[in-house]
Amino acid sequence: MARPEIDSVTGVETTGHEWDGIKELNKPLPKWWLWVFYACIIWSIGYWIAMPTWPLVSDFTKGMLGYSQRTVVANSLANARAAQSGFLDKIAASDLAGIKADPALLQFSLAGGAAAFGDNCAPCHGRGAQGAVGYPNLNDDNWLWGGTLDDIHKTLQVGIRSGHEDARDNAMPAFGRDQILEPGQISDVTDFVLSLSGGDANAEAAARGKVIFAEQCAACHGEDGKGSIELGAPNLTDRIWLYGGTRDAITDVIRNSRAGVMPAWKERLPPETIKQLAVFVHSLGGGQ
Amino acid sequence: MRQRTGTDEFMDITAKERVEQAPREAAPGVDRLDVTAVNAPETRPLYAAREKVYAKRAFGTFRTVKWAVMAVTLGIYYLLPWMRWDRGPSLSDQAVLIDFPNRRFFFFFLEIWPQEFYFITGLLILAALALFLVTALAGRVWCGYTCPQTVWTDLMIAVERLWQGDRNARMRLDKAPWTFSKIWRKAGTHASWLAISITTGGAFVFYFRDAPTLMAEFIAFDAPSIAYIFVGIFAATTYLLGGIAREQVCIYMCPWPRIQGAMFDQYSLLVSYREWRGEQRGPHKKGESWEGRGDCIDCRQCVAVCPTGIDIRDGAQLECIQCALCIDACNSIMDKIDRPRGLIAYDTIDNLEAESKGKATSLHLLRPRLLLYAALIALVSLIMLVALWNRSVLEVNVLRDRNPLFVELSDGGIRNGYTIKILNKRHESREFRVGTEGLLGATLRIVGFENDTDPTISVPVDELRALRVFVTLPKQNLPSLKGGVADFEIVITDLGDGSTVRNDTTFRSPAK
């Protein structure tokens, strides 16, 4: 009967395993280690039975405990909603000024409004509500349809030229395309409009344009060009131009008109979210 | 030289040769297969049963030190959560509390917020460096004296000794049949271990919740379930690792012994057997001369007291946790046989060699490694102290809006938006005023305070308040900005004591 080989250097038995002349010393593992390994195997069998484990062709074994990470996510979402419901109920019951006056509700609305804004409004108005040509900057103090909480709230609900029955709506004639004004007259009006906000304008042309403006434009934009929130007519005397403040841009608007569209959110978002959005937009800096 | 026997010869033949030499046929027409039983007697089992270590009680200097360390460390661990520290009415009065729900770590006078976690990081770095230093200086001091595994194992062995007696009694008891005496001694031991374990797990959770409250909840059985779970986990691990597994943890589970090799050198003070003095070892008869033999009388007291059951005379080894109990055991024997103490002692590998050659010894305390560790400890401590000293109890963060960078207003003025976060770390509610400095003509408006020209912002105890702030510069002031940008300060004034915090930020406008 063969006895284990003794390593001549260490005096320890070898296991008899050899790899390229290197032999393994027999340093036995403790038995409890082996038992831990068996315990893990038993645990894993229990795990297979209790938890979702094995992939099948089009499904997987569900396990007896019925655990599912989807359920966990759904539950935590439901919990989050339940935690929010206290706030949402208060928002539903409260008017906009009341929301703004309550620091906790204000904080909640600002956070919720910011999230809803990112999901629904940012594609046009930009992530920072900074707008773009044709899409108003909501940070500034200039409002086509009014910048009070209630005005913003209404605009959000009904939209602009959205097709909603109460939608904010108006139409500026296309003075050039519909041949209401001659190109020379349009040029004169452009000079006048430029002069309203201190732009670079020809004084003579502006004087001629002033007459045309009084006939054609003042009905909506006002004699002084300060616009009208009731009609949604922009103020032409300030520094803010939705479609650009250059001579070319202004001429283009007079010639072809513009009619921006914003959807009505009343049917799309819950009323609490629209209230949160109104408070959020109002807080961006231009709220009146 | 050993005499070569037939079996030895057979053993030296490699497997390949054996296959070649073995007859191919067992009998004419019957193949002989090259196969052996998996459990053949020559195959030694790959798994060894644990040999139980019956550590004998030691007496002496190091044992006393270890008792003292045990008393101090366990005392701190069990009692610290009960210590109170007054922080005013609205905050916990527990001296050391890790408050997860409110994300605070209270440590006596310190209160650490999550963003100040670097203090804990610094503390861990210090602990690691201290461990390096101590190990380079005197080996596994941590393992031998203060490691929780060592301390609790020591405690469990002490309790075991109370119930079952010292080494010899325990060995006899284990061999004895199951009598009533054995049953109650064993049951008593395990019951005590369990009691210690549950107390240990209980003490742990007290660090995470107000201790008296939680204790009352435990007594009424209405503590949060997570508390019971953690008491259970820590009780189980204490019982298992400290009571049952003991030295197996140090030898098989802990990575630290493996790291030792890089930590100490030939100048580190290690628990060592002075072979030059001890050998030749052997029993000594009364009146026999000590000339020509070693001082070691091979009484094996050093092995009997060893909590990991090894023989220090085999030299430095992985299993040795350097608890120095063998020094105590050997010294008491040296006293008895009237030989000088220190046959086993803290000594360096370098000195052991020098001593054996009769040369002078030295400690080499000014080694680069020690100096480096010490310098690093000093440096990190200094950085931590400076950070702690400059730690403000009022923290203000100003976050500039980046989208949009600026907003042009209808009158041509420019407005910038900022989010200001005020952290009140004081244990009282405070009131602040927010202003700007260094920006001519600027007006400041805080969202929510539009109707208030000079609003007072109150921040409750131990809380953070975020403010949306708009700074507007009228059109006529814009040309003063160089390149459209100006640096200015947002100044937060504490209305209580008039102290201010200034935060540098910038104002931007379209570059023209």
Side-chain angles (χ1 to χ4, degrees), chain A residues 65-259:
Chain A
L65 292 183
Y67 176 86
S68 155
Q69 294 198 342
R70 283 178 199 280
T71 323
V72 172
V73 172
N75 284 344
S76 47
L77 283 176
N79 286 342
R81 247 177 253 123
Q84 288 178 349
S85 68
F87 284 108
L88 291 176
D89 291 347
K90 271 193 205 164
I91 286 174
S94 178
D95 63 0
L96 294 161
I99 295 170
K100 190 120 202 212
D102 180 339
L105 274 189
L106 175 65
Q107 200 69 30
F108 181 79
S109 300
L110 291 183
F117 188 90
D119 287 346
N120 300 292
C121 316
C124 293
H125 288 286
R127 197 65 188 84
Q130 76 277 23
V133 174
Y135 303 99
N137 183 346
L138 304 177
N139 294 284
D140 63 29
D141 57 346
N142 185 33
W143 299 91
L144 285 172
W145 297 97
T148 66
L149 271 171
D150 289 324
D151 287 339
I152 296 170
H153 188 233
K154 178 161 188 225
T155 307
L156 275 161
Q157 284 181 314
V158 300
I160 298 167
R161 301 178 192 96
S162 60
H164 188 278
E165 55 184 5
D166 296 325
R168 306 239 191 233
D169 200 351
N170 64 14
M172 172 169 158
F175 290 98
R177 199 175 58 212
D178 295 344
Q179 296 172 355
I180 300 168
L181 294 175
E182 298 296 320
Q185 292 175 301
I186 289 176
S187 174
D188 290 345
V189 175
T190 304
D191 271 301
F192 175 67
V193 170
L194 273 170
S195 74
L196 284 174
S197 55
D200 189 13
N202 181 318
E204 278 179 38
R208 288 196 298 276
K210 187 178 181 179
V211 182
I212 304 163
F213 186 88
E215 286 171 6
Q216 300 286 350
C217 316
C220 293
H221 289 287
E223 290 282 346
D224 50 4
K226 288 211 159 131
S228 158
I229 280 174
E230 287 75 35
L231 300 171
N235 181 348
L236 304 176
T237 63
D238 63 20
R239 307 274 299 172
I240 294 168
W241 297 92
L242 184 53
Y243 295 95
T246 61
R247 176 179 291 273
D248 286 349
I250 293 170
T251 308
D252 183 57
V253 173
I254 298 170
R255 195 178 284 146
N256 298 316
S257 173
R258 290 282 193 175

Side-chain angles (χ1 to χ4, degrees), chain B residues 346-452:
Chain B
Y346 273 105
D347 212 345
T348 70
I349 295 171
D350 197 50
N351 281 354
L352 284 174
E353 208 180 314
E355 285 156 13
S356 69
K357 289 174 185 157
K359 287 184 194 157
T361 60
S362 63
L363 268 184
H364 288 97
L365 282 179
L366 293 177
R367 279 175 282 151
R369 156 186 299 223
L370 291 187
L371 296 178
L372 179 69
Y373 290 150
L376 283 175
I377 288 174
L379 181 71
V380 175
S381 310
L382 193 71
I383 292 171
M384 296 255 303
L385 280 176
V386 170
L388 207 58
W389 188 259
N390 290 329
R391 181 178 178 269
S392 83
V393 283
L394 167 65
E395 204 169 295
V396 177
N397 291 317
V398 175
L399 307 170
R400 207 185 170 288
D401 280 2
R402 287 183 293 179
N403 184 17
L405 272 176
F406 48 80
V407 173
E408 185 167 18
L409 300 177
S410 51
D411 62 1
I414 297 293
R415 198 188 68 211
N416 281 203
Y418 304 85
T419 301
I420 300 182
K421 291 183 176 178
I422 304 177
L423 281 69
N424 177 14
K425 293 181 186 171
R426 267 212 212 137
H427 299 152
E428 60 197 11
S429 159
R430 297 165 84 181
E431 294 191 325
F432 302 99
R433 183 162 293 151
V434 182
T436 61
E437 220 166 84
L439 198 62
L440 198 69
T443 53
L444 181 139
R445 183 159 64 85
I446 304 173
V447 173
F449 296 87
E450 279 85 358
N451 304 325
D452 200 341

Side-chain angles (χ1 to χ4, degrees), chain A residues 1-6 13 15 17-18 26-34 100 103 106-107 110 126-130 137 139-142 237-240 282-287, chain B residues 2 5 7-8 10-12 14 18 41-50 248-249 252-253 403-404 406-413 415 445 447-448 450 465-466 468 470 475 512:
Chain A
M1 190 183 75
R3 271 188 285 160
E5 184 183 348
I6 306 290
E13 294 170 4
T15 57
H17 305 157
E18 184 180 334
N26 188 5
K27 292 277 199 174
L29 265 185
K31 268 214 178 100
W32 59 261
W33 197 294
L34 192 65
K100 190 120 202 212
L106 175 65
Q107 200 69 30
L110 291 183
R127 197 65 188 84
Q130 76 277 23
N137 183 346
N139 294 284
D140 63 29
D141 57 346
N142 185 33
T237 63
D238 63 20
R239 307 274 299 172
I240 294 168
H282 186 260
S283 77
L284 286 172
Chain B
R2 272 187 313 161
T5 63
T7 40
D8 278 340
F10 186 76
M11 185 187 77
D12 288 340
T14 63
R18 194 162 46 206
E42 62 263 40
T43 317
R44 206 186 136 177
L46 291 170
Y47 303 95
R50 173 194 178 198
Q248 299 285 307
V249 176
Y252 293 107
M253 300 185 201
N403 184 17
F406 48 80
V407 173
E408 185 167 18
L409 300 177
S410 51
D411 62 1
R415 198 188 68 211
R445 183 159 64 85
V447 173
E450 279 85 358
R465 181 156 185 185
R468 280 288 293 157
F470 294 115
K475 196 182 173 192
K512 275 170 188 158

Side-chain angles (χ1 to χ4, degrees), chain B residues 46 54 86 89 97 112 129-130 150 157 283 304 323 327 353 364 436 453:
Chain B
L46 291 170
Y54 297 90
D86 184 31
L97 178 70
I112 293 183
L129 287 171
T150 296
I157 292 176
C323 63
I327 301 184
E353 208 180 314
H364 288 97
T436 61
T453 47

Side-chain angles (χ1 to χ4, degrees), chain B residues 145-162:
Chain B
Y145 296 86
T146 45
C147 173
Q149 175 63 25
T150 296
V151 172
W152 262 285
T153 300
D154 230 17
L155 180 66
M156 297 301 200
I157 292 176
V159 169
E160 187 181 51
R161 192 182 295 127
L162 280 180

Side-chain angles (χ1 to χ4, degrees), chain B residues 6 56 69 94-95 112 127 133-134 198 288 318 380 420 430 437 472 501:
Chain B
K56 189 171 182 283
V69 171
Q94 186 156 323
I112 293 183
L133 177 69
V134 167
I198 291 167
E288 195 185 326
L318 177 136
V380 175
I420 300 182
R430 297 165 84 181
E437 220 166 84
T472 308
V501 172

